Amino acid sequence: MTDGKNDKLDWAIPVMRTGYAGRALVYLVVAGISLWSVLRGGNGQGTSSAFAQLESAPLGKVVLVLIFLGMLAYAVWRLIDAIWDLECYGSDGEGIIARLGMIVTGVIHLILGFGALLLVFTASSGGGESGIAKAAGMVMGLPGGRFILGAAGIVTIGAGLYYGKKAYERAYRKHLRGNEVTRNWDGLLRAGVASQGFVVGMIGVLIAYAAWTYNPSEAGGLGGVFGWLSGQPYGQILIGVLTLGLLCFALFCAVNAVYRIVPRASDPDIQTLAARFSS
């Protein structure tokens, strides 16, 4: 799994742990606010709406600043992970694609972090068009923008399928330290990864549909996924189940913050969760 520990890369581990902790906080906030809304007869909340509600809560601005710092750390982690190949994806075609995907993921989370920070210093707009819909409108205004947006939707669907495959095969186990905590929570971790896969895949479908209909307002993020689910039979129940799944993904991120293994920077003798299950 590793070519050996490189002590010069030890500094990457606290950056990684801070990043995953920030990511866990984001999903805890968004899924927690959405679940509370559903239990009170409302709808699930997108990231922007959840952050806006958090802004007026006690210590809300402090949490928003912590989210920004966590997203900044996660973006830095994804960048250095891609450059130094800390998780040993390799330099073949598949490895290069995976490492480019890390950079894209880092940029997305950095934008999310700056969105949280912006709410600390400015008044909330109280909702409106989602950030993804706005970005879709900008892309569609470019030469060939409709095709670029459609390609982005297909790639996002692929990312969602990757998460689903990761959950089905429990591939995340090879990146986690094997101990009683990770072993006992494995079922919840798997549910979290699967839920994230569903959300990412559905966001890809919405983006692709926006390109197909030439209507950027059809694109959407988590709020768009919740909106689509609300129109389905037993929609509120489905939204409630999905929010519970996203809380499991928050747990998954928190577990990664504590127990994730970085092959090129961690002790090579650490037993992985995959090895623990196979033993």
Side-chain angles (χ1 to χ4, degrees), residues 3-276:
D3 296 330
K5 180 182 178 183
N6 186 342
D7 291 332
K8 294 181 179 179
L9 297 173
D10 284 349
W11 58 272
I13 294 180
V15 176
M16 176 271 293
R17 301 207 186 286
T18 303
Y20 273 104
R23 203 178 184 205
L25 181 59
V26 168
Y27 279 93
L28 178 63
V29 166
V30 175
I33 289 177
S34 294
L35 182 59
W36 176 249
S37 175
V38 170
L39 291 175
R40 299 178 65 185
N43 203 349
Q45 303 295 308
T47 305
S48 298
S49 298
F51 284 180
Q53 291 189 39
L54 182 62
E55 177 196 15
S56 58
L59 299 178
K61 291 186 182 296
V62 174
V63 176
L64 288 170
V65 171
L66 292 176
I67 286 174
F68 165 72
L69 294 175
M71 293 298 91
L72 177 62
Y74 188 77
V76 172
W77 156 245
R78 293 282 82 177
L79 179 63
I80 61 180
D81 189 9
I83 292 174
W84 279 286
D85 193 19
L86 299 183
E87 296 184 299
C88 302
Y89 284 98
S91 299
D92 58 5
E94 185 176 347
I96 292 296
I97 292 173
R99 291 161 71 180
L100 287 175
M102 294 176 192
I103 296 175
V104 173
T105 302
V107 171
I108 292 172
H109 282 79
L110 185 61
I111 294 172
L112 184 65
F114 274 110
L117 186 65
L118 189 63
L119 286 174
V120 176
F121 299 104
T122 62
S124 170
S125 61
E129 193 176 35
S130 75
I132 289 182
K134 292 177 183 177
M138 293 175 61
V139 171
M140 203 167 285
L142 299 173
R146 185 179 187 182
F147 298 101
I148 296 173
L149 189 64
I154 292 173
V155 169
T156 306
I157 292 171
L161 293 174
Y162 169 77
Y163 272 106
K165 180 175 180 289
K166 189 176 180 179
Y168 178 75
E169 297 179 350
R170 290 186 165 98
Y172 56 86
R173 288 177 173 177
K174 66 182 180 180
H175 293 294
L176 292 175
R177 181 191 295 266
N179 55 33
E180 291 305 311
V181 173
T182 55
R183 185 181 180 95
N184 292 338
W185 288 355
D186 184 60
L188 295 178
L189 302 181
R190 190 184 195 190
V193 175
S195 298
Q196 174 71 353
F198 173 78
V199 168
V200 172
M202 281 303 305
I203 290 173
V205 170
L206 294 174
I207 293 173
Y209 184 70
W212 178 264
T213 59
Y214 211 73
N215 182 4
S217 65
E218 295 288 350
L222 181 57
V225 176
F226 282 140
W228 178 81
L229 284 176
S230 68
Q232 307 306 309
Y234 306 103
Q236 290 300 97
I237 295 177
L238 294 176
I239 292 173
V241 171
L242 181 57
T243 57
L244 290 174
L246 292 178
L247 285 174
C248 288
F249 189 70
L251 174 65
F252 174 81
C253 293
V255 167
N256 273 265
V258 180
Y259 298 115
R260 190 173 183 87
I261 298 170
V262 181
R264 294 195 192 277
S266 299
D267 187 338
D269 294 327
I270 294 176
Q271 184 185 43
T272 67
L273 181 60
R276 187 178 179 91

